[in-house]
Amino acid sequence: MDKDLKDRLLAGSTDFTDGESHSFKDYLKLIRHNWVPVLLITIACLAVAVFYATYAVDIYKSTATMRLARPQGGSVLTSPLMPEFSDWGNDRFIANEMEIMKSFSTRERVANALLDSFYKNPDKTLFANIFVDEDSKRDLRTANSITGLLESAVAIDQKRGLDIVEVSALSPSSYEATLTANIYAKEYRLLNLEMNRNQLTLVTVFLDDQRNEKYEELNAAEETLREFQERGGLIALDERASTLISVLAQFEAQKSATQVDLMASNKVLENLRKELEKQNPRMADYLKSLTSQTYIKVIQDEIAKLEVNRDVALSKGEGLSNNPVLLNEYNKKITDLRKQLDKELEVLKAGIFASSPQEVKELTQKIIEEEVRNQSLLTSIKELEKVVDGYEARFMKLPKNTIELAKLKRNSEALEKLFLMIEQRYQEALINEQSQPGNVMIIDSARIPSSPAKPNRLLIILVGFVLGAGLAVGFVFIKNYFDDTVKTPDDIEKKNINVLAWVPNIEGLSLNGQTEFSFVVFKRPESIPSEAFRALRTRIQFSRIRKESLKSILITSSAPQEGKTTIAINLAGSFAQSQKKVLLLDCDLRKPAMHKIFKSDRVPGLIDYLTGNAKFDEVLKRGEIPNLDYITSGTIPPNPAEMLDSKEMRMFLNEMRKIYDLVVLDSPPIIAVADSEILSSMVDGTILIVSADTTEIELMRRSVELLKRETTQFLGTVLNNFSYKSGYGSYYKYYYYYSRPEKV
């Protein structure tokens, strides 16, 4: 074990750095001792908070509220098995929608809409976030810059347990905050509507292209027929040929329209499969194989045959239009087969939906329905091809002189009927697209706020005060943790070192380099420091049972500038005031200071007497207080330690003990040089001066170890420059009460 650590354990050390527990009172003392930095830090933080609260820009907040309705499935198979667990899926849906709202694409749409509103609004002062302030200039932000800004300027939150989402926008301009929130809600609603109409829009656009294409083909066919008739060809056909051409054109147009529907279905399927592959790559192929199973295909073929046969019978005039019973029979067979097909598909869906996530269920539902429709269209096309082929054979048997006109009329009529069918489908698709609702409803538009949302100035000031106090206390604790200097008498006593007294700061001492108030027991006898020296004098007198055995006292310190000379002079003066005959010796031959305090000549002095260069009467000087004599250091020798350790010095001290009641020696710091160690073996007692907030604890401990030898008598320590008010306020209060003069 480390020797220093062992010594501390044996000594029962309890200072802060040794890790012992402390009471709340200890911490209060620490804060009270450092009240100046605590107050300054707290005031500084409070001032910063007040400044910020005063000059902070007002920020307005405006909120738009939307309700997100989850899309409902078209079958009971797509709904949750347990209703009580449906909220989880709904929360997930809303969470997904909120991520879409926060996406870069959505923010980019909002940014462009904000720029459009800015350009249209004549009052540009209503905008703030849309500008960037640099070097007192207001430059308009780019769309990308606004997009990035919206990420922090707009907050999107869901009300707990509800399908309600709030879009809140912040801006120094109340108008801009309101505009941003409303545009954000509007753009997201439009985006959601576009996403919901995606499949319908795809079909509508495709049918529109087909409509325009077939319209041009129809115009070209009619122009060709007109030119043929103008060239002198036949201009009319008999009734039999006209009926055949009309029926053939009808079925050709129906087949072409079905092919167009198949092409649109293929586009929709391709789009749906791409979406499914992103979530479940294997599901698309699996669904395709399921919908093409034999029993499903057989039912689809039967439905297609019945529909085509019904249409053929109607076209031949077999009386179906006038025979509702026969027509209903056809329709009933078709309806029954469709119900059977739906039943088989429901069983198929049930197996797929059992373990699929909600998003996959909805997508799978659409793919299955579109796959079945696609297969039905393929079957219908095949059946229609058979019908067209039959009529084609009859068409080719027409007379040769009418065949060319028949072909032209057939093509023209077929294109006309096809165009009308596609036009009808386009209009239906357009209506379906426009009637497709979104799942977003704006229930409360943002309104211009009447007051700013932040800053909360009172809260900022309060937080600044609390933060300042916290930082101040933290600073004190950290400073104390890393500060290993002596601060209070308790720090010395915790090291099992005796404390004789503590001396407060002497007002005016060393002010502008002056030493006028160093001799405080003479200059200010009623002051608190003078009372402290009287207390020190009393404790020294009672430190020995036989008072006459304490005739010489050495005053030293651990390091320079700790006030040992001031303590030595005032201690000697205090004894002199108690009618003791006292001699004060300046034995600090390195940096003597006593002659400066007494404003006398340094030479001749002690060294001059010891070397025989001056007589005792020449070096002895009278102090300002009766019974106080002093001898300065004299000429500085090249070997101070040898001079102090000489036989002459010992003989001199013995003689002084006989003449004076007390001899006080002022010596150099004990750690710095060996002079104090030498002198401590010649005197009856030694006092170590410790300066508050200056002397390191470890340095003090080492100094005490040097003084506690068998040949020396260590009396204790004196804590110098100690603040009564910060550390021992009650002592100061009681002393002030008893020491101040009574008013007459």
Side-chain angles (χ1 to χ4, degrees), residues 42 61 112 276 302 359 372 590 635 681 744:
T42 304
K61 179 180 180 180
N112 289 324
L276 185 59
E302 287 296 324
E359 290 81 0
V372 171
R590 314 282 178 164
T635 304
S681 63
V744 180

Side-chain angles (χ1 to χ4, degrees), residues 363-497:
L363 199 53
T364 304
Q365 168 88 3
K366 294 178 181 179
I367 291 178
I368 289 177
E369 292 173 355
E370 197 62 40
E371 286 277 10
V372 171
R373 181 171 178 270
N374 193 274
Q375 291 293 332
S376 297
L377 291 171
L378 283 172
T379 304
S380 297
I381 290 173
K382 291 178 182 178
E383 294 299 322
L384 287 169
E385 283 178 347
K386 294 178 184 179
V387 175
V388 170
D389 289 343
Y391 279 100
E392 182 75 26
R394 294 172 59 184
F395 178 80
M396 296 305 296
K397 293 179 182 180
L398 291 174
K400 292 184 179 179
N401 61 340
T402 63
I403 193 71
E404 186 175 358
L405 177 60
K407 285 182 179 180
L408 293 175
K409 287 186 100 25
R410 166 191 171 185
N411 186 40
S412 176
E413 286 189 26
L415 286 173
E416 182 181 3
K417 294 180 184 296
L418 176 60
F419 172 75
L420 293 174
M421 289 181 182
I422 293 178
E423 176 68 23
Q424 182 181 1
R425 282 171 170 75
Y426 169 74
Q427 295 299 332
E428 290 175 354
L430 190 62
I431 292 172
N432 288 336
E433 179 191 9
Q434 296 301 319
S435 62
Q436 173 67 35
N439 54 330
V440 176
M441 181 174 65
I442 300 176
I443 60 177
D444 195 5
S445 298
R447 293 174 174 81
I448 296 179
S450 58
S451 60
K454 57 182 183 180
N456 187 334
R457 290 176 167 79
L458 183 60
L459 180 61
I460 290 174
I461 294 173
L462 181 60
V463 170
F465 174 75
V466 174
L467 181 63
L471 288 175
V473 173
F475 168 78
V476 169
F477 287 154
I478 293 174
K479 175 177 174 289
N480 178 78
Y481 180 81
F482 290 102
D483 185 7
D484 60 347
T485 59
V486 177
K487 302 173 186 64
T488 66
D490 294 338
D491 295 337
I492 303 175
E493 291 175 347
K494 287 175 182 178
K495 295 295 182 181
N496 287 337
I497 300 173

Side-chain angles (χ1 to χ4, degrees), residues 486 488-503 535-536 539-540 687-688 690 700 704 708 714-720 722 728:
V486 177
T488 66
D490 294 338
D491 295 337
I492 303 175
E493 291 175 347
K494 287 175 182 178
K495 295 295 182 181
N496 287 337
I497 300 173
N498 183 36
V499 180
L500 293 172
W502 44 87
V503 179
L536 175 60
R539 290 166 189 170
I540 291 174
I687 296 175
L688 180 68
V690 177
M700 175 190 69
V704 172
K708 282 186 175 181
F714 178 64
L715 299 179
T717 61
V718 174
L719 182 60
N720 191 27
F722 177 61
Y728 287 73

Side-chain angles (χ1 to χ4, degrees), residues 118-360:
F118 170 78
Y119 290 128
K120 293 176 182 178
N121 196 319
D123 189 358
K124 309 303 181 185
T125 60
L126 295 175
F127 296 84
N129 285 338
I130 207 168
F131 290 102
V132 55
D133 296 329
E134 291 183 358
D135 301 328
S136 301
K137 296 180 180 179
R138 298 189 77 199
D139 296 328
L140 188 64
R141 292 181 183 270
T142 61
N144 283 337
S145 178
I146 297 174
T147 302
L149 178 66
L150 288 174
E151 188 173 8
S152 58
V154 176
I156 300 171
D157 301 295
Q158 177 189 6
K159 284 194 174 182
R160 186 175 181 86
L162 300 176
D163 299 339
I164 305 299
V165 173
E166 293 182 333
V167 179
S168 301
L170 299 175
S171 172
S173 166
S174 58
Y175 172 83
E176 187 182 50
T178 306
L179 179 66
T180 303
N182 284 330
I183 287 179
Y184 213 111
K186 177 184 175 183
E187 289 298 323
Y188 168 67
R189 186 178 65 82
L190 292 176
L191 177 63
N192 178 268
L193 198 59
E194 291 173 8
M195 294 173 65
N196 286 342
R197 294 177 176 177
N198 183 35
Q199 306 302 331
L200 295 175
T201 303
L202 185 67
V203 173
T204 303
V205 172
F206 174 75
L207 290 176
D208 188 36
D209 293 339
Q210 290 295 315
R211 183 187 63 155
N212 295 330
E213 180 182 335
K214 298 308 176 185
Y215 181 75
E216 292 178 358
E217 291 179 5
L218 174 61
N219 287 336
E222 289 178 345
E223 181 65 23
T224 303
L225 177 61
R226 185 183 61 79
E227 290 177 355
F228 175 80
Q229 292 175 336
E230 288 178 354
R231 287 198 304 268
L234 293 175
I235 60 173
L237 296 172
D238 58 25
E239 183 179 353
R240 176 173 169 270
S242 297
T243 302
L244 178 62
I245 291 172
S246 178
V247 173
L248 180 57
Q250 174 68 31
F251 283 108
E252 281 186 334
Q254 190 172 345
K255 185 184 78 170
S256 298
T258 306
Q259 289 174 335
V260 170
D261 289 341
L262 180 63
M263 293 169 63
S265 177
N266 288 334
K267 285 184 174 294
V268 172
L269 267 178
E270 181 183 2
N271 194 31
L272 290 173
R273 284 170 181 164
K274 286 181 180 180
E275 292 184 22
L276 185 59
E277 284 176 1
K278 295 177 182 178
Q279 302 184 35
N280 194 334
R282 299 181 181 179
M283 183 65 76
D285 294 334
Y286 178 63
L287 290 177
K288 187 176 181 181
S289 65
L290 285 178
T291 53
S292 61
Q293 289 184 10
T294 304
Y295 64 91
I296 295 177
K297 194 171 184 302
V298 169
I299 296 174
Q300 290 176 320
D301 290 345
E302 287 296 324
I303 294 173
K305 288 178 181 178
L306 285 171
E307 289 177 340
V308 171
N309 290 336
R310 181 191 60 190
D311 294 342
V312 170
L314 286 170
S315 66
K316 290 180 179 180
E318 294 178 354
L320 286 183
S321 58
N322 299 319
N323 190 349
V325 176
L326 188 59
L327 181 61
N328 289 337
E329 187 177 344
Y330 266 107
N331 291 335
K332 184 176 183 304
K333 290 181 181 179
I334 294 172
T335 302
D336 292 341
L337 286 173
R338 288 192 181 279
K339 288 181 179 179
Q340 185 179 353
L341 178 62
D342 291 340
K343 184 177 180 181
E344 296 293 340
L345 290 176
E346 286 178 1
V347 175
L348 180 66
K349 293 174 185 177
I352 297 173
F353 293 158
S355 59
S356 300
Q358 188 62 37
E359 290 81 0
V360 175

